[in-house]
Amino acid sequence: MYGFARPFLFGLDAESAHGVTLRALEAAYRSGLNPLVSGTVKPLPTKAFGLTFPNPVGLAAGLDKNGAHIDALLALGFGFVEVGTTTPKPQSGNPKPRMFRLPDKRAVINRLGFNNEGVDALVRNVERARRDRGLLGINIGKNKDTPNETAEDDYLFCMERVYALADYITVNISSPNTAGLRELQEEQQLRRLVGTLREAQERLGAQHGRRVPMLVKIAPDLSDDDIDAAGRVLGDLEVDGVIATNTTIGRYGLEGSKFADEAGGLSGEPLMGKSTLVLRRLRSRLPESIPMIGVGGILTGADAATKAAAGATLVQMYTGLVYRGPQLIGECVEAMRRRKEAPSRGNLPPNA
């Protein structure tokens, strides 16, 4: 079905197509017909962060920033959906145009800038959702006019609002589209921010009688030393999980592509190698008790399996869904199933 819809959607500018797609998915879900839904995604229960996911393939944050389409997106077959990034106050984001497709590279550049209706609107949407098909992550950030010195106040505000509703919470300190945000990944700032949020997490857990896992999402553009430092901090503070990675400001391999010079974060196929290298290095620096989600450049089932081989327990997609449609979900689940069920080399005969 997506093959018929794609030429129409690609005839629109990227952000308009984004909105049309969400409205179409919602209409399909509410009709009960679900003509865009892949009903062939088979369960592959996967444990991480103290939760059991119906399958290990999820939707990355950014597609449904306000949590208005949770059930329709879960109906596509995702094991989990992450909504947001949400901020304390509504904000319009950066001026349009701010989202660009690069079809020859199966990539997208966006500089949306945390455009969203604010955390209270997201909470109302989440409260209305049925959420009977998978788990829900909520991705939180800071408003663009909040200085880094007081960024923790914004994250605390959002965490307190969404805590009772989330299956897990992601702390986004890695978007390239909010000025200065990535500076929060510097070792001392990271330790202060995440330490403060870990204290709040334990307090809220006692208050609500339920401990909600907290994950941290990092950028793909960190140096090796910065990755190692992040591993030390996140390991010391015993976060529940890490997502690697967000979009990149790099432009390697885009030579000659239209829109290659546009500012913003690059996602899609060109990000696969870079994000996987960060995932692999950070996996080796983190305690085994901290699971990771691999995201960035997944366009095939083999890509999902590569993320798993690099250390990811779960994977997420966004741009791959733009280029491949919902069939990619089941393809990735099956690739991860084959990898999970394959005998280890140690169990194979000597000449296998």
Side-chain angles (χ1 to χ4, degrees):
M1 188 72 182
Y2 184 72
F4 292 104
R6 179 177 147 152
F8 165 73
L9 294 171
F10 274 51
L12 304 172
D13 71 85
E15 190 164 356
S16 295
H18 179 149
V20 168
T21 299
L22 285 174
R23 290 192 293 273
L25 285 173
E26 189 68 28
Y29 173 75
R30 292 184 180 277
S31 74
L33 299 176
N34 291 339
L36 299 178
V37 171
S38 170
T40 61
V41 181
K42 298 176 182 177
L44 181 59
T46 303
K47 293 184 178 180
F49 327 123
L51 304 170
T52 300
F53 295 77
N55 70 61
V57 178
L59 176 68
L63 184 65
D64 187 8
K65 290 179 178 291
N66 298 306
H69 306 283
I70 294 167
D71 293 325
L73 291 165
L74 284 171
L76 294 177
F78 287 113
F80 61 109
V81 164
E82 188 170 315
V83 298
T85 299
T86 190
T87 56
K89 298 179 294 185
Q91 58 184 31
S92 58
N94 294 318
K96 298 180 181 180
R98 54 193 181 178
M99 194 173 189
F100 309 90
R101 284 187 298 263
L102 291 74
D104 58 324
K105 303 298 183 182
R106 296 204 291 182
V108 169
I109 292 173
N110 92 82
R111 51 172 180 266
L112 293 168
F114 287 177
N115 56 310
N116 75 108
E117 296 172 1
V119 68
D120 290 335
L122 179 137
V123 165
R124 291 192 294 270
N125 288 332
V126 174
E127 288 174 338
R128 287 193 290 266
R130 294 174 61 185
R131 296 168 56 184
D132 56 354
R133 293 176 182 254
L135 301 187
L136 177 70
I138 301 180
N139 185 302
I140 61 175
K142 77 174 187 73
N143 283 112
K144 64 179 181 180
D145 57 357
T146 300
N148 282 357
E149 291 74 21
T150 57
E152 63 191 47
D153 294 339
D154 278 16
Y155 287 98
L156 285 168
F157 186 93
C158 289
M159 176 178 276
E160 290 169 354
R161 297 298 190 280
V162 307
Y163 190 91
L165 297 169
D167 291 310
Y168 70 87
I169 296 169
T170 297
V171 178
N172 186 350
I173 52 173
S174 51
S175 170
N177 299 320
T178 295
L181 184 75
R182 287 187 169 194
E183 295 171 8
L184 295 173
Q185 295 171 111
E186 184 274 326
E187 185 170 4
Q188 295 308 314
Q189 293 196 63
L190 182 65
R191 188 175 294 277
R192 187 184 76 173
L193 173 63
V194 175
T196 298
L197 295 177
R198 281 284 291 112
E199 291 174 3
Q201 179 192 20
E202 298 303 328
R203 171 176 54 81
L204 289 165
Q207 179 181 327
H208 290 273
R210 180 175 75 99
R211 189 180 184 281
V212 175
M214 186 185 84
L215 284 59
V216 176
K217 187 169 186 176
I218 67 163
D221 303 309
L222 299 176
S223 68
D224 286 350
D225 287 346
D226 288 338
I227 295 169
D228 296 347
R232 285 195 300 273
V233 171
L234 299 176
D236 289 348
L237 295 175
E238 299 181 327
V239 300
D240 296 287
V242 179
I243 302 179
T245 66
N246 214 311
T247 57
T248 179
I249 58 174
R251 293 295 184 266
Y252 178 78
L254 298 189
E255 294 83 0
S257 288
K258 185 180 181 182
F259 303 128
D261 294 331
E262 292 287 349
L266 171 70
S267 60
E269 196 166 54
L271 179 57
M272 176 66 188
K274 192 172 193 177
S275 64
T276 305
L277 286 172
V278 174
L279 166 66
R280 183 178 290 112
R281 186 178 184 95
L282 190 56
R283 174 69 281 166
S284 70
R285 269 54 178 182
L286 286 170
E288 283 300 316
S289 58
I290 299 179
M292 296 187 68
I293 298 178
V295 56
I298 295 177
L299 271 292
T300 67
D303 292 336
T306 297
K307 296 287 190 187
T313 303
L314 308 170
V315 299
Q316 290 177 320
M317 63 180 67
Y318 178 169
T319 303
L321 200 64
V322 172
Y323 285 98
R324 294 287 315 283
Q327 71 176 27
L328 180 59
I329 303 166
E331 185 180 313
C332 289
V333 171
E334 292 311 307
M336 295 184 76
R337 187 194 311 279
R338 289 192 298 273
R339 185 180 185 280
K340 184 177 182 181
E341 294 176 351
S344 68
R345 294 300 301 179
N347 294 329
L348 292 176
N351 296 321

